[in-house]
Amino acid sequence: MIEAAPNPVTTVMRALADPTRRAVFERVFESKEISVAELTRGSGVTQGAISQHLKSLKQAGLVAERAEGRNVYYRAAPQGLEPLVDWMDHYGVFWRERFQNLRDLLKEIDP
């Protein structure tokens, strides 16, 4: 079976599906800017693993990097979440309509 190229929503979901990667993203998001060394400290994860997670987050458009000498600093790129937010908005409308229809039906059945 030939798999189609992943769309932006799939890319973001795959990037955030891993709990460790999600934790790394949350730490980057909570910081104005943070280095790999700072992310590694106290995480229980190796610097190499943190770097791999950051690479995946960067490819998904969720973080941006800035090199300064031997250090690389990461910051959140909130616009990277837009495909996921748009996807959720689409289904939010779908479910709101369905729940409203259900409420209306229940009122008709049992006023």
Side-chain angles (χ1 to χ4, degrees), residues 50-60 63 74:
I50 293 288
S51 293
Q52 286 298 312
H53 288 304
L54 288 166
K55 180 180 177 183
S56 295
L57 292 169
K58 183 179 173 195
Q59 288 173 338
V63 298
Y74 289 86

Side-chain angles (χ1 to χ4, degrees), residues 57-76:
L57 292 169
K58 183 179 173 195
Q59 288 173 338
L62 297 170
V63 298
E65 67 180 14
R66 175 183 67 83
E68 185 177 294
R70 295 178 65 194
N71 294 314
V72 179
Y73 295 90
Y74 289 86
R75 65 187 175 286

